[in-house]
Amino acid sequence: MRIRIQVWGMLLCLLTVMQNHAQSKTDTAGFSVSVFNEQGEALAGAIVEIQQGADNTLVKSAVTNKNGLSVFYIPVTAGFLANISFIGYQPVKVPILPKNISDKFLRIVLTQTAKDLANVTVNSRKPFLQQAQGKIIVNVEASVTNAGTTILEVMEKLPGVVVDKNGGISLQGKTGVLVLIDDKPTYVSGSDLNNLLSGMSSAQVDQIELITSPSAKYDASGNAGIINIKTKKNKQVGFNGILSTAFTQGRYPKSNNSLVLNYRNGRFNAFLTYSGNYNKGFTDIYALRKYYNPSRALVATLDQPTIFISRNLGHTLKTGFDFYAGPKTTLGLAFTGIWVNRETSGDAAAHWINTSGGIDSTIQTNSNSTNHFNNVGVNVNGRHSIGKQQEISFDVDLLKYSISNRQNFNSFFVSGGQQAEGSRGDLPSGIDIFSVKADHRIQISNYSKLESGYKISSIRTDNVAAYDYFDGTQWKEDLGKSNHFLYKEAIQAIYSSMEYKKAKLSYQLGLRFENTNYDAHQLGNSARNDSAFSNHYSGFFPSGYLSYEADSSNIFTVTAGRRIDRPPFQRLNPFVLIINKYTYERGNPFFKPQYSWNLELSHQFKQFLTTTLSYSIIKDYFSQLFLAEGTDILVYTNGNVGKMVNLGLSVAVQLSPAKWWSLNSQAVFNYKKFSGYQNVNYQSNISQLTTSINNQFRLDKNYTAEISGFYTGKARNDIQERLLPTGQLSIGIARPVLQKKGTLKLSMRDIFFTQVMEGNTDFPNADEYFILRRDTRVINIAFTWRLGKPLKTQHRSTGGAKDEIDRVNGG
């Protein structure tokens, strides 16, 4: 209790200092551009470009907010132009007149291209990438080769993002990424997060935000930052929707379909999003493991070719409504559901090779597993304006995950075919999550605002691992591997953040406090003792940035922040997961959180070049660990191994070499230094390079095309594993059809079949080379159809009620 009072006192002191500082500042305002439709409604998401000269050189660009407003803190003079575009409306390019310069304001009204939405001609396209303070915004639909993919497949292509063979995600060369869907945590990681993202269609997604420097209003989790997946929400009045279907053929067929519907009229807005996909694929793994004696002399070699065939069927649903209760109040209710079923069959061989190169024995293993991943969730949200300067909002979330995994392994000696060993497991898991969040925002002046909030979350898990073994004649309980694990976690957080933007200077200062308590209980059996453990920790997490616009072409920004990564609760469970006869995976109840400090210095030259230097230091660094158990079994686990220092340099380029060609490219170089203890004191380092490129071509009035790809050089995320280079190249072409009511896309991904995962792993008294291939070389055909008809609306006031009506939270 004393700690909480002290924390609140510190935050209130910080809030008071910020408020007094902001109110003491005065300066000239920026140049504002407001964009409306013919009914006087603000258009959120319109692209506004300030151009200069006869060649229309881009000076600055921005995207309008929910009030249709964009502000430019640049000197606007005679000869400047404003170019405004918004999907479904005729683009406008107008000169900025002396009166506009004097008033520092320009109001633009866009005209819809057709009265019927079905006949809308899209004259403007969102760029593939957009730069914003502290984040990169990826417009998913702007990439032709994203058609017919899952969200996980899209993430593999994002600039600076790498997905490893275990489903781990890194951003800008750093592991520890918090994945959000519509600003809400998923609360799962590893293979469960992999199942979630591979069961969702990319056609549901509007944008993906890559946030390397999150503000204090976000959870402090995520050393590398946040990936926020924002699903589609249509704010247009009337009934409208998007139907998408895609067929993909690799070695095996795949199908991806989605439907987005929205009806908005008067005080109500109702929405529904559904996607269904079927994916049959393969995973081809080859591993060569060598065993050594204490003097490092080779004693045996294990050659392991394995093939898995998987069938994945996924359904996702999100539906709900928003109710505009009054001119200042909005309430929302949303339901979500995810159902993913995966069936996998495997065929593996284990060839034991002696030091002379001869095969001593061969064991054949047949396996099958069935995985069910189900999630249901309810969200209640609301927002209320207090006058014109203040706003309060709340979110209440209730989620339930039901995960089951049934696996069966049967091993036979090749000579004679007699059964050597059998193992089967039933691994159900339940996760219940309750979260409440409340936020307050106050506009202190025209140039500064203050945000504060409070959040509590409660997580309960119930995990069972029930294993049996076959002794040659009958099945018996394997109590040594069986496990029942109960876990409870509670997190409380408060934050305050001050943002100031005026003329050439802008900054943000924030402080967040989080308090974590958890209790875990491993139930015993006749072969295992009952055990329990608890932990409590808390910390402050400051964050902020300082940005200075030297002139209309150059912006310099410094960002800094402290972050935390908590061990995934599934990884604290000391149960055993059988990967194959000679490889297990086990949790670690002594897993501690890791803490990091991150610092970035960036320079942006117009919209053309962004250069960023970064430094981060992580204490109690998370790493996958590889342990020996017995003479031939190796165990994967996770733990804390010391510290890691990461120095990074990234260069991002956006340019148009020709009117019909736009290019986005990014290169990220990281130097990592690891130090700590794992069996012995160690130090290691690695330099790694990741690059990506996206080329968009407008061939004529109808056809657009794309060539994109990525390359990841040698990398190391775990101290005992080193990854070899990988990458892919994709192409695609698209054109409108059915009188421009639909779009047809044809694409091919991973043309040269180079997206492999390959590397080397060091074990105690052993090492292993591995290479993993999946069904990544595919050809895809996709069709999208826009449907619906907007309602004609009467012109009405754009005051406080309009601010609320423009918000469609959707949970």
Side-chain angles (χ1 to χ4, degrees):
M1 184 66 179
R2 181 180 300 173
I3 291 176
R4 294 184 182 178
I5 294 174
Q6 291 174 345
V7 171
W8 273 112
M10 294 182 67
L11 282 177
L12 288 173
C13 289
L14 176 66
L15 186 155
T16 303
V17 171
M18 289 177 173
Q19 180 170 342
N20 291 337
H21 178 68
Q23 289 178 330
S24 67
K25 296 258 183 188
T26 58
D27 200 352
T28 57
F31 184 82
S32 300
V33 179
S34 292
V35 184
F36 299 89
N37 63 14
E38 294 173 285
Q39 288 77 37
E41 298 174 313
L43 295 179
I47 299 172
V48 181
E49 297 179 345
I50 303 297
Q51 301 175 351
Q52 181 183 25
D55 57 352
N56 296 335
T57 302
L58 180 64
V59 177
K60 191 76 173 176
S61 69
V63 178
T64 57
N65 62 16
K66 64 181 181 183
N67 300 318
L69 179 68
S70 59
V71 183
F72 298 87
Y73 296 99
I74 58 174
V76 177
T77 59
F80 276 45
L81 300 171
N83 184 26
I84 299 92
S85 59
F86 188 71
I87 292 178
Y89 290 79
Q90 295 177 0
V92 170
K93 180 180 289 187
V94 296
I96 299 177
L97 302 175
K99 186 180 187 308
N100 303 130
I101 297 172
S102 175
D103 296 340
K104 296 188 176 181
F105 178 75
L106 176 65
R107 188 179 193 274
I108 297 295
V109 176
L110 296 184
T111 303
Q112 202 168 359
T113 54
K115 296 298 181 184
D116 189 330
L117 181 63
N119 297 320
V120 167
T121 300
V122 178
N123 290 321
S124 61
R125 301 180 67 223
K126 288 185 179 180
F128 175 62
L129 292 180
Q130 293 173 271
Q131 296 278 350
Q133 173 56 47
K135 63 185 176 183
I136 297 173
I137 301 171
V138 181
N139 293 301
V140 174
E141 274 197 337
S143 174
V144 177
T145 58
N146 284 339
T149 60
T150 66
I151 293 179
L152 186 66
E153 290 170 332
V154 170
M155 290 179 65
E156 291 175 334
K157 298 165 51 184
L158 297 179
V161 175
V162 175
V163 181
D164 67 23
K165 70 179 191 299
N166 301 311
I169 300 171
S170 61
L171 176 62
Q172 305 289 16
K174 296 183 290 184
T175 57
V177 177
L178 176 63
V179 177
L180 308 179
I181 298 178
D182 290 327
D183 299 310
K184 295 177 176 57
T186 61
Y187 294 102
V188 290
S189 63
S191 60
D192 292 331
L193 180 60
N194 189 301
N195 288 335
L196 173 65
L197 299 178
S198 62
M200 298 179 65
S201 168
S202 64
Q204 296 175 267
V205 180
D206 180 27
Q207 295 177 334
I208 297 179
E209 297 177 336
L210 309 178
I211 309 173
T212 56
S213 303
S215 67
K217 74 176 182 179
Y218 291 103
D219 290 359
S221 300
N223 155 64
I226 292 172
I227 296 179
N228 188 18
I229 301 166
K230 306 191 77 170
T231 57
K232 291 178 178 176
K233 299 179 182 69
N234 197 318
K235 297 183 179 182
Q236 192 157 6
V237 174
F239 171 77
N240 49 77
I242 301 173
L243 174 66
S244 300
T245 184
F247 176 78
T248 303
Q249 182 67 51
R251 182 182 298 181
Y252 299 105
K254 304 158 182 56
S255 177
N256 207 322
N257 311 282
S258 72
L259 176 65
V260 179
L261 297 175
N262 197 91
Y263 179 76
R264 179 179 174 185
N265 189 21
R267 291 177 175 268
F268 286 92
N269 180 82
F271 58 89
L272 181 145
T273 301
Y274 167 78
S275 76
N277 66 71
Y278 171 78
N279 187 326
K280 182 178 180 180
F282 72 89
T283 303
D284 190 350
I285 306 175
Y286 174 74
L288 184 66
R289 185 181 299 172
K290 296 182 178 181
Y291 295 85
Y292 303 91
N293 62 22
S295 61
R296 293 299 292 176
L298 181 67
V299 295
T301 300
L302 180 60
D303 182 89
Q304 302 178 87
T306 305
I307 181 72
F308 293 104
I309 306 297
S310 62
R311 294 170 179 82
N312 187 85
L313 181 63
H315 302 273
T316 65
L317 176 68
K318 183 174 184 178
T319 186
F321 67 89
D322 295 279
F323 174 61
Y324 310 109
K328 297 181 178 181
T329 305
T330 305
L331 299 173
L333 177 66
F335 302 91
T336 57
I338 300 172
W339 300 268
V340 180
N341 297 322
R342 182 191 299 270
E343 296 181 355
T344 304
S345 59
D347 189 3
H351 307 290
W352 284 100
I353 303 172
N354 57 37
T355 54
S356 301
I359 297 178
D360 283 341
S361 63
T362 295
I363 297 177
Q364 190 76 26
T365 300
N366 300 319
S367 65
N368 59 76
S369 65
T370 303
N371 184 285
H372 300 285
F373 180 95
N374 301 324
N375 163 246
V376 292
V378 179
N379 168 264
V380 179
N381 62 83
R383 192 173 81 165
H384 178 71
S385 295
I386 306 173
K388 296 183 178 180
Q389 305 298 324
Q390 297 188 62
E391 177 183 279
I392 56 174
S393 61
F394 73 89
D395 275 274
V396 179
D397 288 279
L398 182 63
L399 298 94
K400 183 176 182 62
Y401 288 90
S402 177
I403 305 168
S404 66
N405 183 11
R406 294 185 176 181
Q407 51 183 219
N408 189 31
F409 297 88
N410 292 296
S411 300
F412 301 85
F413 287 110
V414 171
S415 57
Q418 68 271 28
Q419 183 167 349
E421 188 178 272
S423 176
R424 65 188 183 190
D426 187 7
L427 291 78
S429 175
I431 306 173
D432 295 307
I433 300 164
F434 177 72
S435 173
V436 178
K437 181 172 70 113
D439 299 281
H440 172 258
R441 180 180 65 84
I442 179 171
Q443 194 75 31
I444 299 174
S445 68
N446 292 333
Y447 322 109
S448 58
K449 66 178 179 180
L450 182 67
E451 293 181 293
S452 302
Y454 177 71
K455 179 181 178 181
I456 58 172
S457 61
S458 171
I459 301 170
R460 293 174 177 264
T461 72
D462 188 342
N463 302 273
V464 175
Y467 282 103
D468 299 317
Y469 70 94
F470 189 72
D471 66 357
T473 58
Q474 62 180 334
W475 290 96
K476 294 183 179 180
E477 286 186 283
D478 192 343
L479 297 177
K481 294 188 179 71
S482 296
N483 172 282
H484 189 182
F485 183 72
L486 303 175
Y487 178 84
K488 295 188 299 182
E489 179 182 273
I491 301 175
Q492 301 89 31
I494 53 176
Y495 79 90
S496 186
S497 178
M498 176 75 178
E499 187 173 24
Y500 175 87
K501 292 182 179 181
K502 198 176 199 183
K504 296 183 176 184
L505 181 68
S506 62
Y507 64 80
Q508 184 181 75
L509 295 173
L511 182 63
R512 188 179 183 93
F513 174 80
E514 293 190 350
N515 179 65
T516 305
N517 295 275
Y518 72 76
D519 297 291
H521 184 195
Q522 178 177 275
L523 280 67
N525 56 40
S526 59
R528 184 191 301 274
N529 292 328
D530 190 275
S531 63
F533 55 92
S534 302
N535 199 359
H536 164 77
Y537 51 89
S538 58
F540 290 95
F541 302 94
S543 62
Y545 74 84
L546 174 65
S547 183
Y548 177 72
E549 192 166 349
D551 52 40
S552 60
S553 300
N554 297 278
I555 302 175
F556 297 89
T557 305
V558 178
T559 62
R562 184 174 187 250
R563 310 286 294 168
I564 183 176
D565 279 305
R566 297 177 180 84
F569 32 81
Q570 301 97 322
R571 298 288 175 85
L572 292 167
N573 182 2
F575 84 107
V576 172
L577 176 66
I578 299 175
I579 298 175
N580 59 44
K581 178 176 172 57
Y582 300 105
T583 310
Y584 298 165
E585 184 176 1
R586 179 183 293 130
N588 178 7
F590 305 105
F591 209 175
K592 300 185 298 182
Q594 68 176 13
Y595 295 88
S596 64
W597 277 100
N598 301 297
L599 177 67
E600 289 186 355
L601 172 63
S602 66
H603 167 246
Q604 183 176 344
F605 178 70
K606 297 185 177 180
Q607 294 291 312
F608 165 65
L609 177 67
T610 302
T611 306
T612 303
L613 288 169
S614 64
Y615 170 84
S616 66
I617 181 170
I618 306 173
K619 293 184 178 180
D620 292 323
Y621 179 68
F622 286 180
S623 179
Q624 196 171 49
L625 307 177
F626 307 95
L627 311 174
E629 190 170 281
T631 58
D632 51 15
I633 294 178
L634 296 175
V635 178
Y636 290 72
T637 187
N638 289 268
N640 309 94
V641 295
K643 72 175 183 179
M644 189 271 282
V645 175
N646 186 356
L647 296 174
L649 171 65
S650 69
V651 179
V653 176
Q654 298 185 68
L655 73 156
S656 295
K659 290 183 178 180
W660 47 269
W661 178 13
S662 62
L663 180 150
N664 293 272
S665 181
Q666 184 184 60
V668 180
F669 173 80
N670 292 97
Y671 172 78
K672 298 180 180 180
K673 184 177 181 180
F674 304 84
S675 60
Y677 179 84
Q678 170 57 19
N679 300 315
V680 296
N681 290 317
Y682 72 90
Q683 281 194 346
S684 64
N685 60 74
I686 191 170
S687 298
Q688 62 187 61
L689 176 68
T690 302
T691 62
S692 64
I693 189 169
N694 183 285
N695 295 276
Q696 300 284 332
F697 306 99
R698 181 165 290 279
L699 305 182
D700 58 22
K701 292 183 178 180
N702 291 319
Y703 285 93
T704 58
E706 176 188 323
I707 300 177
S708 61
F710 69 86
Y711 168 81
T712 302
K714 292 181 179 180
R716 183 190 294 272
N717 293 325
D718 299 302
I719 61 170
Q720 294 172 263
E721 188 170 272
R722 185 184 181 100
L723 303 176
L724 299 179
T726 186
Q728 66 147 262
L729 181 69
S730 301
I731 59 173
I733 190 169
R735 67 152 295 159
V737 294
L738 301 177
Q739 297 179 338
K740 299 188 177 180
K741 292 184 291 186
T743 304
L744 194 63
K745 298 179 180 180
L746 179 67
S747 62
M748 185 174 184
R749 300 194 304 273
D750 195 13
I751 299 172
F752 302 109
F753 201 35
T754 51
Q755 190 181 349
V756 300
M757 298 181 185
E758 185 179 14
N760 296 280
T761 305
D762 296 324
F763 299 93
N765 298 320
D767 59 51
E768 181 177 273
Y769 163 80
F770 65 86
I771 183 169
L772 181 151
R773 294 183 175 89
R774 295 175 294 138
D775 201 4
T776 55
R777 181 163 59 184
V778 297
I779 188 167
N780 171 272
I781 184 168
F783 171 71
T784 300
W785 182 36
R786 294 176 297 278
L787 61 152
K789 184 176 182 179
L791 297 179
K792 295 182 179 180
T793 58
Q794 299 297 319
H795 178 77
R796 57 183 181 272
S797 169
T798 58
K802 185 64 179 65
D803 293 344
E804 297 306 320
I805 293 173
D806 279 337
R807 175 181 178 267
V808 179
N809 186 4

